[in-house]
Amino acid sequence: MRSPASGPQSVDRALEILDAVADAPGPLGAKALARRLGCSLSTVYHLLGPLTARGHLVRTGDGYAPGPRVAVLHRSFQRHLGLGPHLAELLPRLRRATGAEAYVTAYRDGRIVMLDSTVPVTDSEHPFVPGPETRAHATAHGKVLLAALPRAARRRYLAEYGMARFTDRTITGAERFEAEVERVRGRGYAVSVGEADPAYTCLAAALPEQGADGVVHALSLSLPTADFRRRHGELRAALVRTARHLPPAG
């Protein structure tokens, strides 16, 4: 697995605070942050000051929560990875047409990240949400993105992030995964039936080349596996048709 790079201690501590607040289900107080980071309360307050002043955090009556600057950074991140209006507007249309949640995911420079989805932000239990994707070998969007890479780059990715077993269906062997990649290339789409989450199936297709900076995109759908077994032909056709006719970003 990729481990975070270390830097000046104050920078690392500030980033740890941001990560802790982002991962928490609600606001965190300074004392709770000090306990999580294993440092003094004075150190936490020293770092909370500039983080709050710059808008990365806000102080509420219950503690510290993500601030408005986070939304700006998120939009900038999406833009740099090619999430233009042509993709962002496509997701709700695909959701309405299929009744399944829709996603767009990107690969660049050895990382896979889900850029956007139709999953409500209040649904904290859904297994597929925007953010870094470390289960690429077990998800349909991860499979199509890895299938677009040369074998050496794919092997490097899998060696770095690992092939953890999430369910009894998860592919955890490199050679078996290469066989799956060949099936994905032959079909033009990928399917993950309960490989990342036992209750969900996802389907994905790679999108046309979106730019010259090495970014590859995938469009995907997810739904409960019971629904997929009943509607797989219809969903697969809608996904592949949409992905193949999506014009490259201009």
Side-chain angles (χ1 to χ4, degrees), residues 170-196:
T170 307
I171 297 173
T172 59
E175 291 306 318
R176 187 180 165 202
F177 190 78
E178 285 300 316
E180 177 72 358
V181 163
E182 290 304 312
R183 283 191 289 271
V184 170
R185 288 175 171 168
R187 294 181 303 202
Y189 65 92
V191 181
S192 170
V193 182
E195 294 177 43

Side-chain angles (χ1 to χ4, degrees), residues 185-235:
R185 288 175 171 168
R187 294 181 303 202
Y189 65 92
V191 181
S192 170
V193 182
E195 294 177 43
D197 184 281
Y200 280 82
T201 286
C202 52
L203 303 84
L207 298 182
E209 184 62 39
Q210 298 292 306
D213 51 359
V215 180
V216 184
H217 294 105
L219 184 67
S220 58
L221 297 170
S222 80
L223 69 166
T225 297
D227 294 340
F228 169 76
R229 298 189 189 283
R230 177 172 49 86
R231 304 177 56 215
H232 62 90
E234 163 203 347
L235 295 168

Side-chain angles (χ1 to χ4, degrees), residues 29-107:
K31 291 182 179 179
L33 285 166
R35 287 194 298 271
R36 291 193 181 204
L37 272 61
C39 63
S40 69
L41 187 59
S42 61
T43 296
V44 169
Y45 276 123
H46 176 72
L47 296 171
L48 285 171
L51 289 172
T52 303
R54 289 176 176 268
H56 296 291
L57 296 176
V58 292
R59 185 176 184 178
T60 73
D62 297 319
Y64 291 85
R69 184 64 184 165
V70 174
V72 177
L73 293 173
H74 178 59
R75 291 288 295 274
S76 176
F77 179 71
Q78 290 179 319
R79 186 172 63 253
H80 280 274
L81 281 178
L83 185 67
H86 64 299
L87 286 180
E89 295 170 4
L90 178 68
L91 296 184
R93 293 205 305 269
L94 193 57
R95 172 69 175 84
R96 289 191 296 269
T98 63
E101 302 295 355
Y103 316 80
V104 61
T105 309
Y107 168 92

Side-chain angles (χ1 to χ4, degrees), residues 155-173:
R155 286 294 183 91
R156 285 195 299 271
Y157 181 94
L158 294 173
E160 184 164 7
Y161 287 94
M163 301 182 72
R165 182 178 297 280
F166 301 107
T167 76
D168 59 1
R169 293 177 174 269
T170 307
I171 297 173
T172 59

